[in-house]
Amino acid sequence: MDAKEQFKKLTNDYSKMINDYTDSLLLTFGSNKKARMFLREQLAFYSNSQTHELIDNLIRNLEQLALNQ
């Protein structure tokens, strides 16, 4: 597998993980707003930039879902 194919695969895997985790948060909290509030609270507990990036991506995904409804 060349670098371009590897990058595509990793990008697809990351997108799937974000979508799966978003779905899990919606099931757990029962509302988009509560899930986003939980994630924003979690930002205070983590200083790792990669964790912040993940949480920001999850929040953006939830916001996009809310706008599409």
Side-chain angles (χ1 to χ4, degrees), residues 15-41:
S15 293
K16 183 176 176 349
M17 180 194 69
I18 293 289
N19 288 331
D20 289 347
Y21 195 55
T22 298
D23 291 342
S24 175
L25 286 167
L26 289 171
L27 286 173
T28 300
F29 291 99
S31 87
N32 191 307
K33 186 176 181 178
K34 288 179 184 175
R36 286 182 282 140
M37 190 168 55
F38 168 77
L39 288 170
R40 286 187 180 104
E41 289 172 357

Side-chain angles (χ1 to χ4, degrees), residues 4 29 63:
K4 186 176 179 180
F29 291 99
E63 287 172 344

Side-chain angles (χ1 to χ4, degrees), residues 32-69:
N32 191 307
K33 186 176 181 178
K34 288 179 184 175
R36 286 182 282 140
M37 190 168 55
F38 168 77
L39 288 170
R40 286 187 180 104
E41 289 172 357
Q42 296 309 299
L43 286 172
F45 296 112
Y46 297 99
S47 60
N48 182 312
S49 64
Q50 290 177 331
T51 303
H52 274 244
E53 183 179 339
L54 174 63
I55 292 171
D56 287 338
N57 286 334
L58 289 166
I59 291 170
R60 274 191 238 119
N61 200 30
L62 287 164
E63 287 172 344
Q64 188 61 48
L65 284 174
L67 289 172
N68 290 339
Q69 288 181 347

